[in-house]
Each structure stands twice: as C-alpha cells, then as structure tokens.
Amino acid sequence: MTTELATAATELVEEEDHRLVIFAWSGDLDKIWPTLILSTTAAAMGWSVTVFFTFWGLFPLVRNDVRITGENWMQKMMSMMNRGGTEHLKLSKMNFAGAGPKMMRKLAHDHKVADPQELLEMAKDMGVRLVPCQMTMDLLGLDRASLIDGLDEPAGATTALLDADGATTLFI
C-alpha cells in the first residue's frame, strides 16, 4: 500500500507544473544558505526554479576575487562595509567578528552539508535561473564583470513578479 501511495504521489508531482520563485533579499550566510538548499532541492524534484537576487541578496553573486565594487565613493564604501562573494558572507546573528561564520562552515563541513559556493554551482548546473536585480545593480554600482558567470540576464521587479505568478513563492 505504501509503495502504491508513493508511486501515485510521484505521478501526481510529475503531472503538475511545479514552479518555485525565491526572492533573495538578504546576503547573510544563514539566509543565502537555505535559499540555495531550497532551490537545488526543488530543481532536483523536477521543479522549475528561479531565484531573484535583490538588495543585499545580490552581494553573494559578486565574484570572490572582487574587493571593491561601485562607481562613486558611496557605492565603494558600501562594498567595503559589505564585501561580496560567497566566501565573505556574515551571519545575521552571532557573527562575532567573523568567528560565527567560520564555526557554521566548520559544522556544515563536519556534517557534509554543501557550502554556498558548491550549492551555487550546483544550482547553475541544475538549470536554476539565477536572476540579478537590475535596479539593485544600478543602485549599488555593480556591473556584470563583478558578478559570477552563469547568471541570467538582469531583470526588474515586473519580470520577477510575472515569473512568480502562480508559483510557490518564498521571500528570504
């Protein structure tokens, strides 16, 4: 009976067009990590997945080797205070001058949890659409050369909302 239910559930999932849209507005390690876990899990289940990165959520998409971004002193100052890249993410709580993220990464490593960079690569390989917010890029002076490869074309809120219409939507 359990096998029959599992088979029926699998068929039902396969018949429906499941879509997941995540609005990633936070660049904190403890928020971008679940964003990438959920997006890759949904993609592994056969769902169509889009992650729209906006405001602070855009900074994890900055290449790890880029130190300063922006065109004017305010944008450059913002990037100095909030360095982009998956290797430089802070925790939203208990950051402790960088000790918190190191402990979190150690715990994840010990428990064989993929780190955000691995999940980001996995998401790209699985066809997850990673969409940077054009308005945020303009606001913070981020150009395409500062961002990682493999991203979708930058888009605005209208495109993101149209993509979210009828989809399971998360705001992380």
Side-chain angles (χ1 to χ4, degrees):
M1 183 70 165
T2 304
T3 305
E4 292 171 358
L5 286 174
T7 302
T10 302
E11 290 173 1
L12 184 61
V13 167
E14 290 173 354
E15 290 176 10
E16 295 181 19
D17 178 30
H18 290 282
R19 294 184 306 119
L20 173 65
V21 175
I22 300 175
F23 291 86
W25 73 274
S26 172
D28 291 329
L29 177 63
D30 49 327
K31 299 208 173 91
I32 205 67
W33 216 323
T35 297
L36 295 170
I37 289 171
L38 290 169
S39 64
T40 54
T41 300
M45 294 169 56
W47 291 27
S48 173
V49 182
T50 300
V51 183
F52 184 74
F53 293 89
T54 188
F55 279 87
W56 306 121
L58 192 57
F59 278 93
L61 299 181
V62 172
R63 292 188 355 242
N64 285 316
D65 63 337
V66 172
R67 178 63 187 109
I68 304 291
T69 58
E71 299 167 358
N72 61 49
W73 71 269
M74 286 187 283
Q75 294 167 337
K76 291 179 184 198
M77 186 67 105
M78 296 282 276
S79 72
M80 283 180 57
M81 293 186 292
N82 185 35
R83 185 172 181 183
T86 56
E87 294 176 0
H88 312 101
L89 301 175
K90 299 174 184 169
L91 288 175
S92 62
K93 290 180 166 182
M94 300 183 292
N95 194 57
F96 300 123
K102 286 182 182 173
M103 290 190 294
M104 185 65 77
R105 288 179 190 274
K106 170 79 170 105
L107 287 169
H109 179 267
D110 291 349
H111 288 84
K112 301 182 181 5
V113 175
D115 69 31
Q117 185 63 42
E118 293 171 307
L119 289 166
L120 200 51
E121 295 301 321
M122 193 183 311
K124 289 190 292 187
D125 292 344
M126 297 173 83
V128 173
R129 293 185 59 227
L130 305 171
V131 181
C133 173
Q134 181 65 62
M135 185 206 69
T136 304
M137 288 177 65
D138 295 342
L139 184 72
L140 299 175
L142 293 169
D143 59 13
R144 287 299 298 260
S146 299
L147 301 179
I148 62 172
D149 294 330
L151 302 176
D152 280 56
E153 286 299 312
T158 302
T159 301
L161 289 174
L162 287 172
D163 204 26
D165 188 30
T168 300
T169 306
L170 302 174
F171 191 83
I172 302 176

